Amino acid sequence: MKEKIKKAAQLINSANYPVAFTGAGISAESGVPTFRGPDGLWNKHDPQEAVSLSSFRNQPKKFWQFARDLIISSGASPNPGHRALARLEKQGKLKSIITQNIDMLHQEAGSEKVLEIHGSLQKVDCQDCSQVYLWQELTATLKKDKLPRCDNCGSLRLKPRIVFFGERLPEDILQKSWAEAKRADLMLVIGSSLEVYPAAGIPELTRQNSGKLIYLNADRGSRTQLFDLIITGKAGKVLPKIADRVIQK
Ligand code: OAD
Ligand code: ZN
C-alpha cells in the first residue's frame, strides 16, 4: 500500500493537468449510502420506480419513499477524502472534480471547481407550476413521515434537480466534463463502480488522449484493464496520505 501511495503522489506531482472523477464511494465514510453492493440503495429500491421520469409523472410517491434515504445525503458532512481533494486543489495539484454525486460534499469540503454531472439536491422544482423549493425545506416534512406537497398548487411532483433515469445529463456540464477529461493527463477515479453511462465514459476519454488513470476504490471493480494504478482501499483513509505526500514535495 505504501508503495502505491507513493506512486500515486508521484503521478500527481508530475502531471500538468490532474483531475478527479468521483462516485458514491467517496461519500460512504460520511455515512451516505452507495447505490450498488450489499447495502446499496438499489437493493432496497427499484431504480426504475424510484428515480425514473415516467414513474415520477405517474407515481411520485415512489420517489418520496426513496427520498427518505437521501435525507442522509443532505445531512452528511465531508470526510477526510473530500478534504484531501480540496487541499490538492488549493495547492494547484488538482484542476477539477467531475462528480456523479448529488450530495454537495465536495463543495462543503472547500473544492471550488466541481462539475456535478448528475445534478445536486440543492433545489427542487414543482413540475406543475413554477414554484422552486430548497431541498432542506422539504426534508423537514419528510422527516415527519409526511409527503411534501407544493404550497402553491398542491402537487406531489416536486422534482429535485438531479438526473433521473430517462433524462438527459445537463448538456453544458457534460461538455465541460468531456473537455476536462480530454485535457487531463491524469485522472484519479475514486469510489465509483463505473457501471453507469455516459458518466463511466469520462475516464475512458482521458485514456484515449493518452492520459494516465488511477483507480482508488473499496474493491477492484470490473474495469481493471483501464488503469495504470489500482489502489484498493477506503477513500477517506488513502486520499489524505496521498495528499500529504504530494504537498510535502
Ligand atoms: P456505486 O454504488 O455504483 O459504486 C460505489 C463504489 O464505491 C463501489 O465500487 C464500492 O466498492 C466503492 N466504495 C464503497 N465505499 C468506499 C470507500 N469508503 N472508499 C472508496 N470506495 C468505496 O456508485 P456510483 O459509481 O457513484 O446515478 O454510481 C453511479 C450512479 O449510479 C450514481 O450517480 C447514480 C446511480 O444510479 C443516478 O442516480 C443518475
Ligand atoms: Zn406547484
Side-chain angles (χ1 to χ4, degrees), residues 184-185 205-212:
D185 56 354
L205 279 179
T206 300
R207 186 79 186 152
Q208 283 159 21
N209 280 270
S210 312
K212 289 198 159 45

Side-chain angles (χ1 to χ4, degrees), residues 78-100:
N79 69 53
H82 298 106
R83 287 199 288 272
L85 292 186
R87 263 202 293 152
L88 285 173
E89 184 184 341
K90 291 221 161 43
Q91 300 287 330
K93 300 291 186 181
L94 191 68
K95 301 299 180 187
S96 62
I97 301 174
I98 302 162
T99 189
Q100 298 165 92

Side-chain angles (χ1 to χ4, degrees), residues 4-5 7-9 11 213-216 227-231:
K4 289 196 170 185
I5 287 170
K7 176 82 183 147
L11 285 169
L213 292 180
I214 301 175
Y215 190 49
L216 166 56
F227 297 99
D228 299 281
L229 176 64
I230 296 180
I231 307 178

Side-chain angles (χ1 to χ4, degrees), residues 186-248:
L186 175 69
M187 182 179 276
L188 286 97
V189 178
I190 306 156
S192 177
S193 62
L194 297 178
E195 285 191 19
V196 177
Y197 282 83
I202 290 174
E204 292 167 11
L205 279 179
T206 300
R207 186 79 186 152
Q208 283 159 21
N209 280 270
S210 312
K212 289 198 159 45
L213 292 180
I214 301 175
Y215 190 49
L216 166 56
N217 203 63
D219 62 68
R220 284 176 61 83
S222 57
R223 310 287 301 281
T224 46
Q225 72 295 342
L226 198 62
F227 297 99
D228 299 281
L229 176 64
I230 296 180
I231 307 178
T232 308
K234 292 194 168 181
K237 295 269 177 325
V238 178
L239 281 173
K241 290 184 186 154
I242 295 177
D244 285 348
R245 266 199 168 265
V246 170
I247 292 163
Q248 253 173 33

Side-chain angles (χ1 to χ4, degrees), residues 103-135:
D103 54 30
M104 297 176 286
L105 293 180
H106 285 304
Q107 294 92 327
E108 271 185 55
S111 290
E112 287 181 11
K113 201 154 175 230
V114 183
L115 293 162
E116 296 171 313
I117 51 176
H118 290 163
S120 86
L121 278 176
Q122 201 174 11
K123 292 201 176 146
V124 181
D125 301 292
C126 176
Q127 305 292 287
D128 294 304
C129 73
S130 56
Q131 196 82 0
V132 181
Y133 294 89
L134 289 178
W135 173 254

Side-chain angles (χ1 to χ4, degrees), residues 6-228:
K6 198 171 155 189
K7 176 82 183 147
Q10 277 168 354
L11 285 169
I12 295 171
N13 266 321
S14 54
N16 287 318
Y17 204 87
V19 306
F21 174 88
T22 64
I26 195 169
S27 297
E29 288 154 88
S30 295
V32 175
T34 60
F35 293 93
R36 294 167 187 82
D39 300 322
L41 289 169
W42 295 155
N43 270 339
K44 260 173 90 181
H45 304 273
D46 175 352
Q48 290 307 330
E49 288 200 329
V51 287
S52 79
L53 266 192
S54 54
S55 171
F56 190 70
R57 279 191 204 108
N58 304 320
Q59 39 180 4
K61 277 185 188 170
K62 295 273 185 198
F63 168 72
W64 289 111
Q65 281 158 8
F66 163 71
R68 294 208 172 96
D69 285 324
L70 293 180
I71 299 178
I72 312 168
S73 309
S74 51
S77 304
N79 69 53
H82 298 106
R83 287 199 288 272
L85 292 186
R87 263 202 293 152
L88 285 173
E89 184 184 341
K90 291 221 161 43
Q91 300 287 330
K93 300 291 186 181
L94 191 68
K95 301 299 180 187
S96 62
I97 301 174
I98 302 162
T99 189
Q100 298 165 92
N101 300 344
I102 56 174
D103 54 30
M104 297 176 286
L105 293 180
H106 285 304
Q107 294 92 327
E108 271 185 55
S111 290
E112 287 181 11
K113 201 154 175 230
V114 183
L115 293 162
E116 296 171 313
I117 51 176
H118 290 163
S120 86
L121 278 176
Q122 201 174 11
K123 292 201 176 146
V124 181
D125 301 292
C126 176
Q127 305 292 287
D128 294 304
C129 73
S130 56
Q131 196 82 0
V132 181
Y133 294 89
L134 289 178
W135 173 254
Q136 302 292 355
E137 299 173 50
L138 304 181
T139 56
T141 310
L142 273 180
K143 281 181 193 156
K144 287 186 224 147
D145 248 9
K146 288 189 189 150
L147 294 175
R149 280 187 185 277
C150 178
D151 290 340
N152 195 32
C153 74
S155 173
L156 271 176
R157 282 187 283 264
L158 304 178
K159 186 183 170 295
R161 293 183 189 171
I162 60 175
V163 175
F164 278 32
F165 288 104
E167 213 176 7
R168 294 174 71 87
L169 271 59
E171 189 61 32
D172 54 332
I173 308 284
L174 199 54
Q175 294 289 347
K176 281 184 190 153
S177 303
W178 285 335
E180 286 294 287
K182 285 183 193 160
R183 189 170 172 192
D185 56 354
L186 175 69
M187 182 179 276
L188 286 97
V189 178
I190 306 156
S192 177
S193 62
L194 297 178
E195 285 191 19
V196 177
Y197 282 83
I202 290 174
E204 292 167 11
L205 279 179
T206 300
R207 186 79 186 152
Q208 283 159 21
N209 280 270
S210 312
K212 289 198 159 45
L213 292 180
I214 301 175
Y215 190 49
L216 166 56
N217 203 63
D219 62 68
R220 284 176 61 83
S222 57
R223 310 287 301 281
T224 46
Q225 72 295 342
L226 198 62
F227 297 99
D228 299 281

